[in-house]
Amino acid sequence: MQTIRRVTLGVVCLATAMLMLDIAVVNTALPNISRDLNTDLSGLQWVVDAYTLALASVVLTAGSLADRLGRKRLFIGGLGVFTASSLACALAGSIAVLDAARAVQGLGAAVMFATSLAVLANAFQDARERATALAVYGATIGASFAVGPLVGGALTSGFGWRSIFLVNIPLGMATIAATVKWVQESRDEHARTIDWPGQVVLGAGLFLLVLALLRGNEDGWTSTAIVAELSTAAVLLVLFGLIERRVREPMLPLGLFKNRTFAGAQVGVFAISGSFFAIFLYTTLYLQNVLHLSAVEAGLVYMPGTVISFFVAGASAQLLTKIAARVMVSVGLALVAAGMLMLTVVGVDSSWWIFIPGEIVALIGTGMFNPAISGVALGALPQSQSGLAAGAHDTFRQGGIAVGIAALGALIPAQAALGHGDAQAFVDGLRNALMVGAGLAALGAIGTAVLLRTRRTDAEPSGELALEQA
């Protein structure tokens, strides 16, 4: 049984690493993709946002399907779609084909994300063992996202940008084989039905919101198209809320937000995703297009913070027995905000060394944040609803990245971002984006401190945390 648990943890962490790497790895390859496929900034932004938007839009439905049909079965299906679409990405001959393949890849990733935490929760039902497994899971998320630029840079410099997708194929096949052999099946006997109206309206609303944010600078924020897209997005998102209030089994029951723990988990993960994780795209463009570092050199700049973040996250299993999850989450977000503010010292003629202190501070914050927030997200709902808990959590995580990339990108001149315009204009825009991102992370720190309350109970083993519900 111990072997099954260990292999399950390895499978979930490997799959999660693939998902997170496919966001972060792509960032370093974007300048090469731009030159090879002759695309503008909007096309490059969609390389990331098509993936994260598809993931955010359907992960809740995927969680419901997993609860009903079996989490292992859906996990394998998601791996298959993700692996096959990785091949399509590698073979893409135009930016439109690449963006479309990335959207399909995001659909596969949604299923994997929605089931990964549920599979982990089923394998580790002892509270202490689950805390350790979640610390490893959180460390995997943080380390994968942070090490992604180096991996992407090395692959891009050595083998071309298509290799960042080709590497998923053997990894995906190996993960499928291990899942079939070792992972146990689980499901919810009282799983919810699929909320198709909510799914369609949410997907359309998020798409139009991101589309408008990405095109606003180019088309003009007062243009008819942008105003129409933003207005329609607002109407659809409000309509989604109305649907969720009226449908018998909603994909995202709004009553869950009365649970302070559940609400705090979503506030926290959206804040870090919409700020620090979203800004990675633009800081990588800064390192390559303004400071003229190669892809692998840009990746190496992230390494000091990555190594420190990995060890901080790895130590969190012990820390969480002594420090409240609320403190870990809120302090982590505060450090992310501080690190992003430190990064505003970057300039056109700066040395890359000036980038490292702020990066280290922010990545220490993510190392504290990720393991703690995973435990909070799973602990917010009963074990039987782990698919819903994981799906909601990942909706806000990926939705934060998609909206953050689009919103922060609106502050940065498009041509300057690709090295064709005024470098100073790009740096000025990047500084503004960093300040806005820092503000979002700071608000997240305050929000999670207020919403997440912890207490110890005599019924629990010493050192375990119980999360209060409203």
Side-chain angles (χ1 to χ4, degrees), residues 4 8 65-77 115 118-119 122-123 125 179-189 383:
I4 291 176
T8 299
L65 283 171
D67 286 343
R68 177 175 294 274
L69 301 178
R71 289 136 185 174
K72 174 181 176 178
R73 178 186 299 180
L74 266 292
F75 187 69
I76 293 171
T115 53
V119 167
N122 181 67
Q125 298 190 9
T179 302
V180 170
K181 184 174 182 179
W182 293 103
V183 174
Q184 294 181 321
E185 184 63 278
S186 64
R187 55 174 52 86
D188 180 4
E189 297 301 327
Q383 168 70 22

Side-chain angles (χ1 to χ4, degrees), residues 215-228:
R215 294 175 51 196
N217 279 344
E218 181 179 351
D219 292 359
W221 292 101
T222 58
S223 67
T224 302
I226 299 303
V227 171

Side-chain angles (χ1 to χ4, degrees), residues 410-434:
L411 303 173
I412 300 173
Q415 290 303 312
L418 296 177
H420 304 313
D422 182 4
Q424 186 61 55
F426 174 82
V427 171
D428 290 342
L430 178 61
R431 288 172 179 162
N432 291 334
L434 284 164

Side-chain angles (χ1 to χ4, degrees), residues 169-207:
I169 298 172
L171 291 176
M173 294 175 66
T175 307
I176 290 173
T179 302
V180 170
K181 184 174 182 179
W182 293 103
V183 174
Q184 294 181 321
E185 184 63 278
S186 64
R187 55 174 52 86
D188 180 4
E189 297 301 327
H190 306 286
R192 295 163 298 129
T193 57
I194 305 302
D195 175 16
W196 291 116
Q199 172 64 77
V200 172
V201 171
L202 176 63
L206 286 176
F207 173 78

